[in-house]
Amino acid sequence: MIKIYDNGNISIDDIITRTEDDSSKVDDGVRRIIEDVKKRKDAALYDYSEQFDKARPESLAVSEQEIEAAVRSVPADFLKTLEMARDNIIDYHKRQKRENYIINEKDGVILGQRIIPIEKVGIYVPGGTASYPSSVLMNALPAKLAGVEEIVMVSPCGKDGKIPDIILAAAKIAGVTKIFKIGGAQAIAALAYGTESVPKVDKITGPGNQYVAAAKRMVYGIVDIDMIAGPSDILVIADESADCRFVAADMLAQAEHDEMASAILVTDSKALAEKVKDEIELQLKTLDREDVARASINKNGKIIITKTIKEAVEVSNAIAPEHLEICTKDPFALLNGVKHAGSVFLGSNAPEALGDYFAGTNHVLPTNGTARFSSPLGVEDFVKKSSFIYYTKDALEHVKDRIIDFAEKEGLTAHARSVSIRFDE
């Protein structure tokens, strides 16, 4: 059962360290897998698929025929839903695109910046007991908008040796270039180092379990990554006007992800706190994933009572939630006070699931309090910047003594000479 706390008798540190990762438990195994894939390449991938997925696919690569067959098998109405979600995601993310710029304000000097798409990107889509076509759209579409030429998707196959049809359909709709039936740490290793079948990429994005997270951390530097994702979390700020049924349902929507997920309500209303507590118990009994959600609520679920809504915002900023719902009479009045949150859902008609699937904002968000310094996945994650400089000889002569002095102050005489030599008689 979820516990209720007054703000004065619970430490924020007790909350924000709830899912602190001890990756050492899995690191040794993941490191062995990575080294094995580097050495044996495709052969290792087939063996790990048989070991972990209980299947040995005929081919690691998904053929165009398989993709077309999957699209035909998906109900037309759901294909329409995927297309509508795609359009919303594109409409939101296209505004994130940045432009090149040139500065030519001084005689003989041209400076500038180019925005260049990352050439090859790998996206990881979880599989196993569930299918997440939304993850395909959220990772692939910003990359496509950024101009990435090759988007390589990896996802574990089922016991039938196939990736679920709705995943393949989403990949087709999102413009994924290549698809491979591999998952786990071995998939991350294949993307980072390349195999006979899987191309080496420049960046890897997408969520996964602790083994995937550990592998992403280990290959960072060989390739770029989006983030080390932890268990999902939600924080709801609510006043007496909030509907306890809505608040409970939204908290449980996160709790059903996994036992380590976190759902927190912060409110200035003791009456609402009690109602939500009771409502959570009622709704838990109706869930297909009751065992998972109940374990999450019992371990990480909390209701915190503050004296004021302003204090509730302060608690939220200290926690820096992945998802923040503001269910108050005037949610926009609190928005500017929010300093740390992955995505903010305003009002009683913006449940977190709206952002997960359809609104257009990205659902790949910073977890475990990392919203203090990181952002949702977006177009900018799939580009790099390159600066350029041009000086005429007259322009360089005008500043050469300053540069030479600067270099000599740092003890770098070769730097100084690289400027002065251009003006030797």
Side-chain angles (χ1 to χ4, degrees), residues 93-110:
H93 286 78
K94 69 183 181 182
R95 292 167 170 79
Q96 298 175 347
K97 295 180 72 172
R98 298 180 62 181
E99 301 295 332
N100 300 334
Y101 64 81
I102 294 177
I103 303 170
N104 189 12
E105 298 172 351
K106 298 176 181 178
D107 289 342
V109 177
I110 299 174

Side-chain angles (χ1 to χ4, degrees), residues 15-88:
I15 301 169
I16 63 177
T17 58
R18 67 191 180 279
T19 56
E20 196 167 281
D21 182 33
D22 181 10
S23 58
S24 61
K25 297 178 181 178
V26 300
D27 276 1
D28 289 344
V30 169
R31 194 172 288 109
R32 284 194 296 270
I33 289 172
I34 291 174
E35 290 303 316
D36 193 24
V37 172
K38 286 170 63 177
K39 182 178 180 180
R40 296 198 298 125
K41 302 184 183 297
D42 278 2
L45 296 178
Y46 279 111
D47 288 347
Y48 286 124
S49 181
E50 194 167 24
Q51 179 181 347
F52 297 124
D53 303 325
K54 310 303 179 187
R56 193 176 186 93
E58 292 182 9
S59 171
L60 295 174
V62 177
S63 69
E64 190 62 34
Q65 291 77 14
E66 288 177 278
I67 296 171
E68 294 299 334
V71 172
R72 289 194 300 270
S73 73
V74 174
D77 194 52
F78 186 64
L79 286 177
K80 180 64 176 176
T81 297
L82 288 175
E83 290 168 352
M84 292 174 68
R86 173 200 62 194
D87 293 346
N88 289 343

Side-chain angles (χ1 to χ4, degrees), residues 317-374:
N317 283 332
I319 294 171
E322 177 187 11
H323 309 92
L324 170 61
E325 289 190 7
I326 302 180
C327 300
T328 59
K329 293 175 184 176
D330 185 4
F332 282 95
L334 302 182
L335 183 57
N336 285 342
V338 175
K339 296 179 180 179
H340 311 300
S343 189
V344 184
F345 301 78
L346 298 162
S348 61
N349 297 309
E352 180 270 327
L354 181 64
D356 269 352
Y357 301 114
F358 205 75
T361 55
N362 208 289
H363 78 198
V364 181
L365 303 169
T367 61
N368 272 4
T370 58
R372 291 177 294 108
F373 53 80
S374 56

Side-chain angles (χ1 to χ4, degrees), residues 32-207:
R32 284 194 296 270
I33 289 172
I34 291 174
E35 290 303 316
D36 193 24
V37 172
K38 286 170 63 177
K39 182 178 180 180
R40 296 198 298 125
K41 302 184 183 297
D42 278 2
L45 296 178
Y46 279 111
D47 288 347
Y48 286 124
S49 181
E50 194 167 24
Q51 179 181 347
F52 297 124
D53 303 325
K54 310 303 179 187
R56 193 176 186 93
E58 292 182 9
S59 171
L60 295 174
V62 177
S63 69
E64 190 62 34
Q65 291 77 14
E66 288 177 278
I67 296 171
E68 294 299 334
V71 172
R72 289 194 300 270
S73 73
V74 174
D77 194 52
F78 186 64
L79 286 177
K80 180 64 176 176
T81 297
L82 288 175
E83 290 168 352
M84 292 174 68
R86 173 200 62 194
D87 293 346
N88 289 343
I89 294 166
I90 289 173
D91 187 57
Y92 179 84
H93 286 78
K94 69 183 181 182
R95 292 167 170 79
Q96 298 175 347
K97 295 180 72 172
R98 298 180 62 181
E99 301 295 332
N100 300 334
Y101 64 81
I102 294 177
I103 303 170
N104 189 12
E105 298 172 351
K106 298 176 181 178
D107 289 342
V109 177
I110 299 174
L111 305 176
Q113 179 175 273
R114 296 174 61 221
I115 306 297
I116 306 169
I118 293 174
E119 204 167 343
K120 296 181 181 180
V121 168
I123 64 173
Y124 186 92
V125 177
T129 59
S131 298
Y132 300 107
S134 59
S135 287
V136 181
L137 301 181
M138 295 293 179
N139 283 273
L141 290 171
K144 199 75 175 175
L145 282 168
V148 175
E149 292 181 5
E150 190 166 344
I151 303 172
V152 182
M153 187 183 93
V154 294
S155 188
C157 62
K159 292 181 180 180
D160 59 357
K162 298 179 179 179
I163 294 174
D165 289 340
I166 58 173
I167 297 294
L168 297 181
K172 177 73 172 180
I173 286 170
V176 170
T177 314
K178 297 178 180 178
I179 307 172
F180 295 92
K181 306 167 190 173
I182 49 175
Q186 61 271 24
I188 302 302
L191 290 171
Y193 295 98
T195 71
E196 296 93 342
S197 298
V198 183
K200 181 186 185 318
V201 302
D202 303 308
K203 182 164 186 169
I204 301 172
T205 72

Side-chain angles (χ1 to χ4, degrees), residues 153-331:
M153 187 183 93
V154 294
S155 188
C157 62
K159 292 181 180 180
D160 59 357
K162 298 179 179 179
I163 294 174
D165 289 340
I166 58 173
I167 297 294
L168 297 181
K172 177 73 172 180
I173 286 170
V176 170
T177 314
K178 297 178 180 178
I179 307 172
F180 295 92
K181 306 167 190 173
I182 49 175
Q186 61 271 24
I188 302 302
L191 290 171
Y193 295 98
T195 71
E196 296 93 342
S197 298
V198 183
K200 181 186 185 318
V201 302
D202 303 308
K203 182 164 186 169
I204 301 172
T205 72
N209 62 20
Q210 58 184 335
Y211 298 95
V212 170
K216 286 172 70 176
R217 189 180 68 253
M218 289 180 190
V219 301
Y220 176 63
I222 303 299
V223 294
D224 190 18
I225 62 172
D226 52 348
M227 63 184 76
I228 306 295
S232 190
D233 65 82
I234 188 172
L235 186 145
V236 182
I237 295 174
D239 61 16
E240 75 283 352
S241 71
D243 189 314
C244 65
R245 299 170 303 153
F246 299 172
V247 173
D250 294 352
M251 293 173 71
L252 290 173
Q254 286 305 304
E256 74 172 350
H257 270 295
D258 66 68
E259 294 182 4
M260 294 302 293
S262 170
I264 299 171
L265 166 63
V266 187
T267 180
D268 63 346
S269 169
K270 291 185 178 180
L272 179 69
E274 292 293 344
K275 289 177 183 178
V276 170
K277 178 181 179 180
D278 293 341
E279 188 64 30
I280 285 174
E281 283 301 311
L282 289 173
Q283 293 188 27
L284 268 170
K285 298 172 184 177
T286 69
L287 299 180
D288 290 343
R289 292 170 64 87
E290 178 186 353
D291 291 347
V292 173
R294 188 176 292 280
S296 167
I297 288 295
N298 288 344
K299 184 172 184 178
N300 296 315
K302 294 176 178 66
I303 298 174
I304 301 172
I305 300 173
T306 59
K307 293 179 181 178
T308 66
I309 283 295
K310 183 179 178 181
E311 281 187 22
V313 175
E314 292 171 358
V315 171
S316 176
N317 283 332
I319 294 171
E322 177 187 11
H323 309 92
L324 170 61
E325 289 190 7
I326 302 180
C327 300
T328 59
K329 293 175 184 176
D330 185 4

